[in-house]
Amino acid sequence: MSTEEKSLHFIEQIIEDSLSNGFPKDKLRFRFPPEPNGYLHIGHAKSICLNFGLGLKYNAPVNLRFDDTNPAKEEQEYVDAIKEDLKWLGFDWTEELYSSDYFQQLYEWAVAMIKNGKAYVDSQSSEDMAIQKGTPTQPGVDGPYRNRTIAENLALFEAMKNGDYPEGSHVLRAKIDMKSTNMLMRDPLMYRILHRHHHRTGNDWNIYPMYDYAHGESDYIEQISHSICTLEFVMHRELYNWFLDQIYDANKVRPHQYEFARLNLNYTVMSKRKLLQLVQENIVNGWDDPRMPTISGLRRRGYTAASIRKFCEIIGVAKRENVIDFSLLEFCLREDLNKTAPRVMAVLDPIKLVITNYPEDKEEWLEAENNQEDESAGFRKVPFSRELYIEREDFLEEAPAKFFRLSLGKEVRLKNAYIIKGEHVVKDASGTITEIHVTYDEDSRSGSGSEASQRKVAGTLHWVTIKHAIEAEVRLYDRLFIDEAPDSHKEKNFLEFMNPNSLEVIKGFVEPSLATVQAGEKFQFQRLGYFNVDKDSTEDKIIFNKTVGLKDAWEEKGKKEENLLMNTQKEINKYVKEKEENNALLILNSIIANIKSIDNYSLIIQTVVKNIKNDNNALLFSNLILQHSDKVKVKDIDAETLTKLYTMSLKSQLAAVRILAIENLQVDLTNFNLFENQLSELKKIEKNEKVLQLLTHLKI
């Protein structure tokens, strides 16, 4: 096998095998078939890159076909947005088609199936049909209308089409096998009645085909050779083929369905229904809110098409589901923006800096490199004068040894400018620093070649001149959810994991070269991250969106939280051993504060479960988390696991563990009732006064 063949993903290998077995290359045809019931998200990008990538690789046509068979949820707005996203990603389609183009043909095929005894009209309620269909372990049974005559079925189906019946009164079902081990083959629905306005066919139709029927037949009409979909459609393949069997002409290309693993990304949701909920409940500001995983949201935030295509290339095409870390998407973005985004200076949390020995009336324009990664990017001029803004966090009046920014008596360099030294500060009545006064070394200008300019100092700060700076609104976006899998927890609503800090709007100041920026332009604010000009910007008000930081803050936060929990567990040992009551209380308060600061729900749950073992300190830790974490409730813990925790804790030799377990049971009424006997037995033998007081208070 050649190196090229080894590098093929499994879909490409299937196509290569088809060609090797005689399938004509000029008959290859692919499609991207979105349903226009919402905006495309990053998960769709993988399918887009796959299908259009195959088209480019094999020089084969790729259709854009809208599977618009449900007018109750579909809108022209979504059609337009999908087309815009595809073009922005860099792909063009051969033909723009719609399943609604084929409504007449699909209807005629359905009539033919009725005539061939392969379809019938069912008049049961949806509840009765569900019962009659059976379960995965119990075969279905024939319904009361399954053996209607062909004439009766034809008449009913035509009346359904003509709008003679209300919604829900009748459906058309394929007549297959009610005992099939594949539930989808137990006489699936083909048509339902919907008296809804369709965004393309208007009110022409009163019946609409189901996806499973329309999809494969549409592939056949378009002569799609390889119909590629995600793994959840594996069980649908048998039905896909059955419907094709009813219409297949041996002189035409027969489509074949192949499934690949869809994109699962942590720290987000990619259910259209849940994304729609976020929009409809105004939790976000529309489908293109920069916190949304939609392609339009990512575009508005400042993501590039190249970074998304690169991301899809890296994750590849596989048969097995896995979860991709959001950090990989951000990495691909940083890689792209690092090469292309001009460097500029902006200050987002300003404090005034005065260079006391710089002439008050002096102003000079210094040369600044636009992008050290791109030689062709050139240079620009930035103004410099006596009064500047720097970031408030870049100064400490008294700094620790490893603080490499400005402090009194220490030197730093101002980017593209001079070396300065902290001299003194001005404070307001409350003691807050309002001005930092420094002196500068006139001979130290960057690029001057002087001996002073080559002097090494600990840090370099970005800045803007107060006189020339432009005020801007800056929207600091962060991930929308604080949990890795917000929609995967039983008994928990995904909205409970919303990140309260996903958007902060602040006022910042940017250098004057940004006075004429246009929506969509991208920049690196030096030392701060990458930012994008928002579409809401006007001539009078520039708005920047934070696209991504220079470093992966979430990875750092995750590691910090893991380390904090590990170190907190070590503090448990100190707390247990401490004999002096006040010292013990200080340690305990520190432990509780650490527990409360952890945001990662999954990490907390894992820590609780991991510490349910025959170890007093571990049990104490689990009980403390259960009592003090505002991210985890008793109902979030598996019942069997919780029972184990209470059982072991009430038997613990450590009184503090028994106390915490009793306190947790007090607010867990379900388990309290189950443990009444054990608590009564404990009361008989308990010697610790605090535990006895608690048990007496329970009145058991």
Side-chain angles (χ1 to χ4, degrees), residues 53-97:
L54 291 171
L56 292 169
K57 179 180 177 70
Y58 292 102
N59 193 28
V62 184
N63 291 342
L64 169 60
R65 183 181 75 241
F66 292 97
D67 278 335
D68 56 344
T69 60
N70 186 1
K73 295 183 178 180
E74 296 158 356
E75 298 177 18
Q76 185 62 40
E77 174 194 351
Y78 300 141
V79 171
D80 296 337
I82 288 168
K83 289 161 64 176
E84 181 182 359
D85 288 345
L86 278 171
K87 288 177 180 176
W88 176 75
L89 280 171
F91 299 111
D92 202 2
W93 49 91
T94 307
E95 293 185 76
E96 181 181 323
L97 301 167

Side-chain angles (χ1 to χ4, degrees), residues 220-237:
Y220 180 65
I221 291 170
E222 294 173 21
Q223 289 291 274
I224 302 302
S225 58
H226 296 73
S227 178
I228 301 165
C229 57
T230 47
L231 282 177
E232 63 263 36
F233 289 98
V234 168
M235 294 298 289
H236 295 247
R237 192 196 312 153

Side-chain angles (χ1 to χ4, degrees), residues 305-340:
S307 67
I308 293 175
R309 293 196 303 267
K310 182 65 175 179
F311 172 68
C312 292
E313 178 188 335
I314 289 174
I315 62 177
V317 180
K319 294 182 180 181
R320 183 176 298 175
E321 295 278 6
N322 63 337
V323 179
I324 306 298
D325 197 313
F326 202 97
S327 297
L328 179 59
L329 177 60
E330 292 179 329
F331 169 80
C332 292
L333 177 62
R334 288 191 194 93
E335 286 277 290
D336 190 35
L337 290 176
N338 185 50
K339 300 170 188 171
T340 59

Side-chain angles (χ1 to χ4, degrees), residues 57 218 257 263 325 402 433 436 473 507 635 697:
K57 179 180 177 70
S218 298
Q257 177 179 303
L263 170 60
D325 197 313
K402 292 188 177 181
I433 297 173
I436 305 163
E473 178 180 306
K507 180 178 75 174
K635 64 182 177 64
H697 179 72

Side-chain angles (χ1 to χ4, degrees), residues 226-406:
H226 296 73
S227 178
I228 301 165
C229 57
T230 47
L231 282 177
E232 63 263 36
F233 289 98
V234 168
M235 294 298 289
H236 295 247
R237 192 196 312 153
E238 186 179 1
L239 182 56
Y240 181 97
N241 289 329
W242 187 90
F243 279 129
L244 285 178
D245 288 341
Q246 313 313 309
I247 61 169
Y248 176 58
D249 179 342
N251 295 317
K252 292 187 175 182
V253 171
R254 180 184 176 115
H256 289 275
Q257 177 179 303
Y258 303 98
E259 307 86 12
F260 70 99
R262 66 180 177 179
L263 170 60
N264 297 301
L265 198 63
N266 64 6
Y267 289 104
T268 191
V269 297
M270 285 192 284
S271 154
K272 278 188 185 177
R273 178 179 58 80
K274 289 173 181 173
L275 294 177
L276 179 61
Q277 183 180 348
L278 293 173
V279 174
Q280 290 180 331
E281 295 182 12
N282 296 317
I283 295 168
V284 296
N285 300 313
W287 285 96
D288 69 343
D289 186 300
R291 293 166 292 180
M292 289 280 272
T294 54
I295 293 174
S296 57
L298 293 169
R299 178 168 65 244
R300 185 174 177 185
R301 180 145 172 182
Y303 275 74
T304 63
S307 67
I308 293 175
R309 293 196 303 267
K310 182 65 175 179
F311 172 68
C312 292
E313 178 188 335
I314 289 174
I315 62 177
V317 180
K319 294 182 180 181
R320 183 176 298 175
E321 295 278 6
N322 63 337
V323 179
I324 306 298
D325 197 313
F326 202 97
S327 297
L328 179 59
L329 177 60
E330 292 179 329
F331 169 80
C332 292
L333 177 62
R334 288 191 194 93
E335 286 277 290
D336 190 35
L337 290 176
N338 185 50
K339 300 170 188 171
T340 59
R343 276 53 166 166
V344 296
M345 290 193 288
V347 176
L348 303 186
D349 184 16
I351 186 169
K352 185 177 181 179
L353 181 140
V354 181
I355 306 173
T356 56
N357 63 332
Y358 194 91
E360 290 190 27
D361 58 349
K362 184 177 179 181
E363 180 182 299
E364 56 185 314
W365 289 78
L366 306 175
E367 195 170 70
E369 192 174 15
N370 286 328
N371 187 346
Q372 64 269 30
E373 299 292 325
D374 179 5
E375 292 182 4
S376 65
F379 294 81
R380 70 190 186 286
K381 295 289 187 179
V382 291
F384 187 83
S385 58
R386 189 172 190 264
E387 296 185 346
L388 313 173
Y389 284 134
I390 65 168
E391 296 288 347
R392 188 172 292 274
E393 69 171 17
D394 280 343
F395 176 79
L396 282 179
E397 193 172 1
E398 295 180 8
K402 292 188 177 181
F403 184 74
F404 299 121
R405 287 169 275 182
L406 182 63

Side-chain angles (χ1 to χ4, degrees), residues 350-498:
I351 186 169
K352 185 177 181 179
L353 181 140
V354 181
I355 306 173
T356 56
N357 63 332
Y358 194 91
E360 290 190 27
D361 58 349
K362 184 177 179 181
E363 180 182 299
E364 56 185 314
W365 289 78
L366 306 175
E367 195 170 70
E369 192 174 15
N370 286 328
N371 187 346
Q372 64 269 30
E373 299 292 325
D374 179 5
E375 292 182 4
S376 65
F379 294 81
R380 70 190 186 286
K381 295 289 187 179
V382 291
F384 187 83
S385 58
R386 189 172 190 264
E387 296 185 346
L388 313 173
Y389 284 134
I390 65 168
E391 296 288 347
R392 188 172 292 274
E393 69 171 17
D394 280 343
F395 176 79
L396 282 179
E397 193 172 1
E398 295 180 8
K402 292 188 177 181
F403 184 74
F404 299 121
R405 287 169 275 182
L406 182 63
S407 59
L408 295 183
K410 298 290 179 66
E411 287 188 330
V412 294
R413 174 172 291 284
L414 294 174
K415 181 72 175 173
N416 305 309
Y418 298 95
I419 292 173
I420 59 171
K421 181 180 180 181
E423 301 292 350
H424 66 275
V425 296
V426 177
K427 299 181 181 180
D428 63 15
S430 66
T432 301
I433 297 173
T434 57
E435 290 184 13
I436 305 163
H437 287 196
V438 301
T439 53
Y440 87 118
D441 182 345
E442 186 178 1
D443 294 329
S444 65
R445 181 167 57 83
S446 293
S448 64
S450 68
E451 185 177 342
S453 72
Q454 296 174 35
R455 193 164 81 248
K456 300 295 183 184
V457 290
T460 300
L461 310 185
H462 61 278
W463 51 272
V464 292
T465 57
I466 294 176
K467 179 180 178 182
H468 301 91
I470 298 171
E471 185 178 311
E473 178 180 306
V474 182
R475 298 171 180 174
L476 301 176
Y477 289 105
D478 203 350
R479 296 183 187 177
L480 195 54
F481 297 96
I482 58 173
D483 189 74
E484 291 184 13
D487 58 352
S488 69
H489 305 289
K490 293 179 181 179
E491 309 301 328
K492 297 282 278 187
N493 188 316
F494 77 104
L495 296 178
E496 294 181 50
F497 298 105
M498 300 296 299

